């Protein structure tokens, strides 16, 4: 089977409808990043079988902000009719906030994660091989819609397992980890960065930690230096180019705790990085080095243990 490496859609306007080149395959992932507009009432993401107005919808993901709380509806639309709804009474994306939504296609289900954290599974009612269109509608501002093919994922024994094993019954096989992570740790980011690319890091902060650091590097420096400092109770963000550090950014809180597990998602957007810690947005950092595909190394260092890296 031939896989198409599709370029992301950048800054699409809602309502949006676009083609999924090559359709869906087992292991393909779609990553949508953006911001829910303030006072939003609802928005939806649809994986469709065609682009016409009455096309079948294999997956309808529909956050609804109602009565001060809200919920998410999951459904399908077939032969002109909606099927039975599945509702989850939780809103993973607060209105007015940035978000990253990832939909991973598996043989039996769509696995949906929000801001790097598993949200729910939705079993196939329509064959995913028929899906060739994505649409987004409603009160949302989009940064990018990106695609990752199965060939771009690390093997299943290291991809997603610890990150998504927290909620029992997530459905991934219980493969033992095949990688032993030694800190400091360095790995290649296959293909470099691009809008829609997510980097996932999970581990445990040492009880007496002073500092940790995550670096996204290119050949002549560090595009993004993310540096939680427990001795100063601050997270420093910076870049390093041609042997010189840029101006530090220090505003925002400290989302990490000594002795506690952590999960970080660094989401690359067209103009900035979003950093989610434990599924909550913690910081943003505007691109200073803009040739994203040349950013091809991830480094992790400091007072921590690693349990998962997906770059």
């Amino acid at each position: 089977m031939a896989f198409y490496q599709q370029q992301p859609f950048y800054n699409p306007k809602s309502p949006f409808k676009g083609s999924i080149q090559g359709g869906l395959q087992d292991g393909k992932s779609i990553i949508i990043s953006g911001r829910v507009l303030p006072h939003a009432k609802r928005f939806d993401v649809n994986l469709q079988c065609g682009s016409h107005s009455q096309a079948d919808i294999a997956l309808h993901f529909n956050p609804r902000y109602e009565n001060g709380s809200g919920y998410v509806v999951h459904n399908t639309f077939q032969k002109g009719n909606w099927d039975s709804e599945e509702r989850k009474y939780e809103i993973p994306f607060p209105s007015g906030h940035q978000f990253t939504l990832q939909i991973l296609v598996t043989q039996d289900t769509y696995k949906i994660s929000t801001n790097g954290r598993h949200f729910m599974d939705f079993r196939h009612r329509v064959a995913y091989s028929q899906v060739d269109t994505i649409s987004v509608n409603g009160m949302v501002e989009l940064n990018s819609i990106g695609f990752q093919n199965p060939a771009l994922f690390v093997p299943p024994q290291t991809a997603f397992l610890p990150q998504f094993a927290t909620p029992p019954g997530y459905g991934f096989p219980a493969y033992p980890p095949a990688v032993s992570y030694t800190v400091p740790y360095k790995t290649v980011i296959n293909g470099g960065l691009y809008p829609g690319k997510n980097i996932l890091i999970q581990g445990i902060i040492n009880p007496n930690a002073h500092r940790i650091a995550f670096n996204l590097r290119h050949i002549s420096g560090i595009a993004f230096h993310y540096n939680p400092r427990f001795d100063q109770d601050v997270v420093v963000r910076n870049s390093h180019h041609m042997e010189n550090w840029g101006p530090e950014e220090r505003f925002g809180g400290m989302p990490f705790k000594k002795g506690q597990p952590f999960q970080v998602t660094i989401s690359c957007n067209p103009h900035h990085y979003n950093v989610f810690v434990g599924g909550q947005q913690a910081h943003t950092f505007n691109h200073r080095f803009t040739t994203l595909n040349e950013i091809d190394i991830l480094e992790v260092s400091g007072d921590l243990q690693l349990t998962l890296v997906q770059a």
Side-chain angles (χ1 to χ4, degrees), residues 118-136:
H118 170 253
F119 186 69
M120 73 165 292
D121 294 348
F122 185 81
R123 296 193 67 85
H124 298 305
R125 303 177 187 177
V126 176
Y128 62 79
S129 59
Q130 299 178 26
V131 174
D132 59 7
T133 302
I134 182 169
S135 70
V136 182

Side-chain angles (χ1 to χ4, degrees), residues 89-103:
Y89 286 89
E90 175 185 343
I91 285 291
F93 309 133
S95 60
H97 286 68
Q98 299 279 341
F99 72 88
T100 297
L101 169 68
Q102 181 169 352
I103 303 169

Side-chain angles (χ1 to χ4, degrees), residues 90-261:
E90 175 185 343
I91 285 291
F93 309 133
S95 60
H97 286 68
Q98 299 279 341
F99 72 88
T100 297
L101 169 68
Q102 181 169 352
I103 303 169
L104 171 65
V105 184
T106 72
Q107 198 68 38
D108 300 317
T109 64
Y110 296 106
K111 297 187 179 295
I112 300 168
S113 67
T114 55
N115 295 347
R117 176 187 295 173
H118 170 253
F119 186 69
M120 73 165 292
D121 294 348
F122 185 81
R123 296 193 67 85
H124 298 305
R125 303 177 187 177
V126 176
Y128 62 79
S129 59
Q130 299 178 26
V131 174
D132 59 7
T133 302
I134 182 169
S135 70
V136 182
N137 309 278
M139 302 181 70
V140 66
E141 179 181 84
L142 296 170
N143 292 328
S144 66
I145 300 175
F147 306 87
Q148 290 182 352
N149 287 329
L152 298 181
F153 287 122
V154 297
Q157 54 265 58
T158 58
F160 297 99
L161 177 60
Q163 167 200 359
F164 290 133
T166 303
Y170 183 68
F172 279 113
Y175 295 111
V179 175
S180 176
Y181 299 100
T182 301
V183 179
Y185 175 81
K186 180 185 291 189
T187 189
V188 173
I189 304 169
N190 290 324
L193 292 186
Y194 51 86
K197 172 71 173 179
N198 289 339
I199 293 175
L200 308 174
I201 306 163
Q202 182 169 298
I204 302 171
I205 307 294
N206 292 346
N208 298 317
H210 292 283
R211 299 186 178 188
I212 62 175
F214 309 125
N215 292 325
L216 300 179
R217 299 191 66 103
H218 51 90
I219 193 169
S220 57
I222 300 172
F224 182 32
H225 173 68
Y226 189 77
N227 179 208
R229 300 180 181 180
F230 299 95
D231 51 347
Q232 299 177 4
D233 195 32
V234 68
V235 178
V236 172
R237 285 89 66 198
N238 208 339
S239 60
H240 187 266
H241 185 64
M242 302 301 288
E243 302 184 359
N244 292 302
W245 286 104
E248 290 184 349
E249 297 182 11
R250 289 173 165 253
F251 53 87
M254 167 59 85
F256 301 90
K257 293 183 179 180
K258 294 180 181 181
Q260 296 297 311

